[in-house]
Amino acid sequence: MNRKAYHTLEFYKIIERLASEAGSAGGRKRCMELTPMQDLAAITAAQQETEDALTRLYRRGGVGFSGTRDVRASLKRLEIGSTLNIPELLDVCSLLETAARAKQYARQNEGREEDPDSLDPLFDALEPCTQLSGEIRRCILSEDEISDDASPALHHVRRTILAANDKIHSTLSGMVNGSARTYLQDAVITQRNGRYCIPVKAEYRSQVPGMIHDQSSTGSTLFVEPMAVVKLNNDLKELYLKEQEEIEHVLEALSNQTAFCTEELDQDYDILTTLDFIFAKAKLAKNMKATRPRFNEKRQIYIKEGRHPLLDPKKVVPVTIRLGQDYDLLIVTGPNTGGKTVSLKTTGLLTLMGQAGLHIPAAQNSELAVFDDVYADIGDEQSIEQSLSTFSSHMTNIIRILNEASLNSLVLFDELCAGTDPTEGAALAIAILSHLHKMGIRTMATTHYSELKVFALSADGVENACCEFDVETLSPTYRLLIGIPGKSNAFAISRKLGLPDFLIEDAKGHLSEQNESFEDLLSDLESSRRTIELEQAEIQEHKEEIRSLREALEKKQEKLDAQRDRILREANEQARKVLQEAKDYADETMKNFHKFGKANISASEMEAERAKLRERMKKTEKAMSKDVAKKPKKALKASDLHLGDTVKVLSLNLQGTVSTLPDARGNLYVQMGILRSQVKLTDLELVEEAVITAKQFQRTSAGKIKMSKSASVSTELNLIGMTVDEALAHLDKYLDDAYLAHLPSVRIVHGKGTGALRKAVQGLLKRNKYVKSYRLGEFGEGDAGVTIATFKQE
């Protein structure tokens, strides 16, 4: 692709933002080298990698690649037998530790049901070489320090050095605090040229035999190494040399171990920089709220609610752009600063981003084409004066585009042929666009020329579009409207700003009849469009209202079905009890008859038993019909009832609504849920419906129940020690209580164990309709022994 379009469409700024998301120098280099691709398979693979990395970011968080060091130069030195220094070995260790972290990041969700993605082979190919990194970290403490335990010989040498230092300090301390005290400038021990000395006054030089290593700037103090410690200093110097030799041996041993892992290190560096690059694309997509576009080879563009990625996301107005389906040439008109150029740049920039494997800031299912090249001629449309040289510069660029553009190109023109005589400029623009249209090249152009609006209306495969302008507020809305040519708002804006009407009318007189008719047509189209939009908004509002009513009706129907099932269940249970009692009475009666017949009981005794039995049956009958025999608190008259009144049917113990007024016999129909039944006026009781104010509502019994629940329900449930069945029973009741208490979340302690209790708990949480989400506890919350459940908010 031509690099000029990268600068014109500001693709390089996207690349800079992408590079800032990378964590390593190698990853940033890969980002800066990113260019759009022309192969559909390569584009699809790159988009899939970005999507998979974005999914991992949302599910597991990010992974750091800042420790990825470029060790390839060090590996070359190892190939020729060189020994690596401390910083080089630390870079090797940092690279391996980064590979280990990335490997662990990929494994942290093992065991969960997740489909493999395109990044799994990269993560699987990482070789952390943990033994080598652990050995380097054990031996090297920092860039300036080797551990004492790096080798036994080094440990012995350093212990000897420590003993020699102690002996020298002991000897010199005896001199400083003893016989030589009067000859010293200060009672201190110092070092010169790596050897321990004492500061002797110049006049007492002969009193302290030894080697002079330095003197003060004034010459009054000599730094003397006493003869008593000369041999000790010599021994110490030899020990330091031996220490350095041992350090060299340690570095050589570590280098030899590293040499066995050169292939793994080289591979790890390539994979980590690749992963860093891919995750940088995912982070950029996350920050932009971007989505993956679909690609086609039909040269069709469908950007849904696309946003220019370099504009403020809080202020940018999304635009929907179609090109290549019903038309291959789109002409955009409208006022200055109305958003024409932004729409043009959005189309070109999102095309380049998509072909580079980046997600685009647009709605889901946006579609892009695969172009061999993107050409753009975009100047400064805000310029007040455009000289001939500016026109010539643009025309030179246009000629280059016409010579290079092919069927598989996307061409973008901003203010085509502006800066010259309007009549000639419009004619040139029509000729250029007609040429590209005949070649079938996908083209998008912005203009102020009315002749191009007419050209779009009259030519097949060419479509008008405009950037909407609100005349009332004298400001653009930045909405792109396809299918409608832009109207000149010069007269309306001038009138709004206070230009006298007679001047505006005079200006209109200079317009040709054809131009005036065209502007009137545009006004009618704009008016019709606004009316249609309002009607569509009303239709959508009605659809939403119907949908909500349907949902409410379905919920009410479910409630009625449940109530009906409960009533039938209770009625069946009551009937079963009645039948059972009748059977028991019959059995007892037959038994008594047989007993009386055998025992020759007198008639009076038999009558007494019958009386007892009848009394018992009366008591049972009275108990069964006590609800049926209920009487209203207040006898109702026909005039007391009105259609729609809420009443209670005492015989059925149900509430309902009056459907018809009582007839002459006192009979009326009451609607009780799905049941509509005729009842008597004497079987009804009027239900008073009190009006509850907001203040009273806060003091209802329901509120008291919620408060008492909230005060008594704990935010934690401990299930350890219970069987699965016991735990699930406790958990089910606990979730109901916690939800009624309006707890936002709860902590369920089930322990780790075999995992059976945890699995059962999470299975119940998954089925519970009150639970919005759940997760295992994090570090400090109980880890895998705890599950945190979050409730849905009312």
Side-chain angles (χ1 to χ4, degrees):
M1 283 194 176
N2 70 93
R3 296 274 176 174
K4 183 176 177 59
Y6 295 176
H7 185 272
T8 303
L9 297 172
E10 300 178 293
F11 179 67
Y12 69 96
K13 292 184 179 179
I14 300 297
I15 295 300
E16 290 172 357
R17 289 182 59 177
L18 175 65
S20 67
E21 300 290 350
S24 65
R28 286 189 287 273
K29 186 172 182 292
R30 289 285 301 273
C31 292
M32 294 302 295
E33 294 172 349
L34 179 64
T35 57
M37 298 168 282
Q38 287 81 43
D39 181 60
L40 181 58
I43 295 171
T44 302
Q47 288 286 350
Q48 185 64 51
E49 289 175 346
T50 305
E51 183 177 36
D52 292 339
L54 184 60
T55 301
R56 289 178 182 252
L57 280 181
Y58 281 120
R59 286 183 179 175
R60 312 175 188 178
V63 55
F65 295 97
S66 58
T68 305
R69 303 282 190 267
D70 188 355
V71 297
R72 290 175 296 181
S74 300
L75 300 182
K76 290 290 185 183
R77 292 186 57 214
L78 286 176
E79 290 179 3
I80 61 175
S82 296
T83 299
L84 302 184
N85 55 35
I86 293 177
E88 288 178 312
L89 287 169
L90 287 177
D91 285 347
V92 169
C93 182
S94 177
L95 177 66
L96 292 176
E97 288 175 344
T98 303
R101 284 197 303 272
K103 194 93 170 177
Q104 181 61 31
Y105 169 81
R107 290 175 176 172
Q108 67 182 8
N109 276 8
E110 281 188 356
R112 298 188 180 182
E113 294 184 2
E114 288 188 9
D115 295 330
D117 60 27
S118 62
L119 303 184
D120 283 336
L122 292 173
F123 282 110
D124 292 341
L126 288 172
E127 293 293 341
C129 300
T130 52
Q131 185 175 358
L132 173 60
S133 62
E135 186 66 12
I136 294 174
R137 191 61 72 189
R138 183 185 70 83
C139 295
I140 303 177
L141 301 180
S142 68
E143 290 191 3
D144 303 317
E145 186 178 3
I146 298 291
S147 172
D148 294 346
D149 298 325
S151 71
L154 181 61
H155 182 71
H156 175 72
V157 169
R158 286 187 173 173
R159 287 188 62 186
T160 307
I161 290 173
L162 186 61
N165 271 309
D166 290 342
K167 190 171 182 180
I168 293 172
H169 274 80
S170 177
T171 302
L172 291 178
S173 295
M175 296 179 65
V176 168
N177 298 318
S179 58
R181 176 68 183 90
T182 57
Y183 310 130
L184 303 181
Q185 192 74 30
D186 294 299
V188 296
I189 300 171
T190 184
Q191 271 192 336
R192 288 295 184 273
N193 302 322
R195 303 178 74 86
Y196 287 101
C197 305
I198 56 177
V200 179
K201 296 178 182 178
E203 57 268 27
Y204 296 115
R205 164 67 186 88
S206 60
Q207 301 299 322
V208 183
M211 299 174 61
I212 299 174
H213 287 281
D214 198 3
Q215 68 176 1
S216 64
S217 58
T218 60
S220 60
T221 303
L222 300 176
F223 295 94
V224 178
E225 178 185 2
M227 293 303 296
V229 296
V230 169
K231 184 177 184 310
L232 293 175
N233 272 329
N234 289 339
D235 294 341
L236 184 62
K237 196 74 172 177
E238 290 178 5
L239 289 171
Y240 280 133
L241 293 174
K242 194 170 183 181
E243 178 193 26
Q244 193 59 40
E245 289 178 5
E246 291 302 327
I247 289 175
E248 292 295 333
H249 290 157
V250 171
L251 296 179
E252 183 178 358
L254 292 175
S255 298
N256 290 335
Q257 292 184 47
T258 305
F260 288 107
C261 298
T262 53
E263 291 184 5
E264 290 85 351
L265 287 165
D266 190 46
Q267 178 177 289
D268 285 350
Y269 177 75
D270 287 340
I271 293 174
L272 288 174
T273 52
T274 300
L275 286 172
D276 190 14
F277 163 65
I278 293 171
F279 274 88
K281 295 194 294 181
K283 291 176 186 176
L284 182 66
K286 184 179 179 182
N287 293 338
M288 289 183 176
K289 295 182 174 58
T291 62
R292 176 180 177 176
R294 295 184 299 178
F295 279 86
N296 66 78
E297 293 182 306
K298 299 178 181 178
R299 302 180 297 127
Q300 295 178 356
I301 294 177
Y302 178 32
I303 299 174
K304 296 172 61 177
E305 298 180 5
R307 308 177 304 277
H308 196 288
L310 300 179
L311 297 180
D312 186 349
K314 296 180 180 179
K315 297 180 180 179
V316 64
V317 177
V319 292
T320 297
I321 301 169
R322 293 184 180 88
L323 184 64
Q325 295 172 340
D326 300 324
Y327 49 89
D328 55 34
L329 172 58
L330 184 65
I331 298 176
V332 185
T333 53
N336 286 335
T337 71
K340 301 189 305 298
T341 304
V342 171
S343 300
L344 203 67
K345 284 188 172 182
T346 300
T347 304
L349 184 55
L350 266 54
T351 297
L352 294 177
M353 288 176 63
Q355 291 188 218
L358 301 174
H359 285 188
I360 61 173
Q364 289 282 357
N365 298 322
S366 291
E367 194 165 348
L368 296 176
V370 180
F371 292 107
D372 292 340
D373 219 328
V374 177
Y375 296 96
D377 180 64
I378 300 176
D380 182 12
E381 71 278 10
Q382 304 300 325
S383 177
I384 296 175
E385 296 179 357
Q386 292 188 344
S387 63
L388 179 61
S389 60
T390 302
F391 174 76
S392 300
S393 174
H394 281 287
M395 186 52 64
T396 301
N397 194 30
I398 291 170
I399 294 170
R400 181 184 65 83
I401 292 173
L402 293 175
N403 290 333
E404 297 179 3
S406 65
L407 184 65
N408 239 9
S409 299
L410 174 64
V411 178
L412 307 172
F413 290 125
D414 184 37
E415 300 296 343
L416 180 61
C417 295
T420 186
D421 178 75
T423 304
E424 294 180 353
L428 277 173
I430 291 174
I432 292 169
L433 294 178
S434 296
H435 173 70
L436 293 172
H437 177 49
K438 290 177 182 177
M439 293 178 64
I441 297 174
R442 303 295 186 250
T443 307
M444 187 172 173
T446 68
T447 184
H448 284 286
Y449 294 140
S450 296
E451 290 84 349
L452 290 182
K453 304 175 190 178
V454 177
F455 168 68
L457 288 172
S458 58
D460 292 333
V462 184
E463 188 61 87
N464 266 309
C466 71
C467 290
E468 189 180 49
F469 188 86
D470 191 340
V471 180
E472 296 299 323
T473 61
L474 297 183
S475 60
T477 65
Y478 301 107
R479 293 177 58 202
L480 183 67
L481 307 174
I482 295 180
I484 301 174
K487 179 182 181 298
S488 173
N489 295 290
F491 292 158
I493 294 172
S494 300
R495 179 179 284 110
K496 193 78 175 179
L497 293 175
L499 187 69
D501 289 341
F502 73 91
L503 291 178
I504 294 175
E505 293 301 324
D506 184 46
K508 286 183 177 180
H510 293 289
L511 284 176
S512 66
E513 184 178 348
Q514 182 179 2
N515 287 335
E516 191 171 356
S517 300
F518 183 67
E519 291 297 326
D520 291 340
L521 174 62
L522 294 183
S523 297
D524 293 340
L525 286 173
E526 179 68 11
S527 176
S528 300
R529 181 190 64 80
R530 290 182 179 274
T531 303
I532 292 171
E533 284 188 351
L534 290 175
E535 290 176 352
Q536 287 178 339
E538 289 180 2
I539 292 171
Q540 187 62 32
E541 186 177 345
H542 290 321
K543 284 183 178 180
E544 290 295 324
E545 185 177 354
I546 292 170
R547 184 185 59 80
S548 61
L549 288 174
R550 183 187 297 115
E551 290 178 356
L553 182 61
E554 289 175 353
K555 290 180 180 178
K556 186 175 181 180
Q557 187 63 41
E558 290 177 1
K559 186 176 179 181
L560 290 174
D561 290 344
Q563 189 176 14
R564 180 195 62 190
D565 293 342
R566 179 181 59 79
I567 293 171
L568 292 175
R569 188 168 57 251
E570 291 176 355
N572 290 332
E573 181 65 21
Q574 189 173 7
R576 188 190 64 78
K577 288 181 179 180
V578 170
L579 289 173
Q580 186 62 41
E581 287 184 4
K583 182 178 179 298
D584 292 341
Y585 291 157
D587 291 344
E588 186 175 353
T589 301
M590 293 300 298
K591 187 189 299 183
N592 288 337
F593 276 122
H594 286 299
K595 182 177 70 173
F596 294 153
K598 291 179 180 180
N600 296 320
I601 302 299
S602 64
S604 61
E605 290 177 337
M606 186 178 294
E607 188 61 31
E609 287 294 329
R610 287 179 179 175
K612 289 181 182 179
L613 185 58
R614 279 195 293 269
E615 185 64 27
R616 184 176 177 184
M617 291 181 67
K618 284 181 180 179
K619 288 182 179 180
T620 303
E621 188 176 338
K622 183 178 181 181
M624 289 172 55
S625 60
K626 62 180 181 180
D627 289 335
V628 178
K630 280 185 179 178
K631 294 184 178 180
K633 297 177 182 178
K634 178 184 176 183
L636 296 179
K637 297 181 293 185
S639 59
D640 294 335
L641 293 180
H642 303 86
L643 292 178
D645 283 351
T646 302
V647 294
K648 182 176 182 180
V649 181
L650 299 176
S651 59
L652 299 177
N653 196 28
L654 292 175
Q655 283 192 6
T657 304
V658 175
S659 294
T660 63
L661 294 176
D663 57 17
R665 297 181 180 180
N667 296 328
L668 68 154
Y669 281 95
V670 176
Q671 185 75 40
M672 296 164 284
I674 61 171
L675 180 64
R676 186 172 184 266
S677 179
Q678 186 181 41
V679 297
K680 289 186 173 295
L681 183 62
T682 55
D683 193 24
L684 297 181
E685 185 177 84
L686 195 61
V687 177
E688 297 291 336
E689 295 181 325
V691 178
I692 301 175
T693 63
K695 184 175 181 181
Q696 291 170 331
F697 183 76
Q698 297 172 358
R699 307 167 71 94
T700 60
S701 59
K704 292 178 182 177
I705 290 173
K706 291 176 182 176
M707 279 178 37
S708 63
K709 281 285 183 185
S710 180
S712 62
V713 177
S714 171
T715 58
E716 179 180 301
L717 176 65
N718 192 338
L719 302 177
I720 295 178
M722 299 182 186
T723 65
V724 172
D725 292 337
E726 292 173 347
L728 292 183
H730 279 76
L731 178 59
D732 194 32
K733 182 178 182 305
Y734 173 73
L735 291 175
D736 290 341
D737 293 342
Y739 181 73
L740 288 175
H742 288 272
L743 296 181
S745 62
V746 293
R747 183 173 183 263
I748 304 165
V749 182
H750 45 64
K752 298 180 181 178
T754 62
L757 183 55
R758 178 179 69 243
K759 186 175 180 180
V761 166
Q762 293 184 351
L764 179 59
L765 293 175
K766 185 176 182 180
R767 295 190 301 270
N768 193 294
K769 62 182 180 181
Y770 307 133
V771 176
K772 178 181 180 183
S773 62
Y774 62 90
R775 60 176 175 82
L776 287 176
E778 297 177 350
F779 180 75
E781 292 181 328
D783 297 333
V786 168
T787 295
I788 308 296
T790 303
F791 290 107
K792 295 178 180 177
Q793 300 298 318
E794 291 183 351

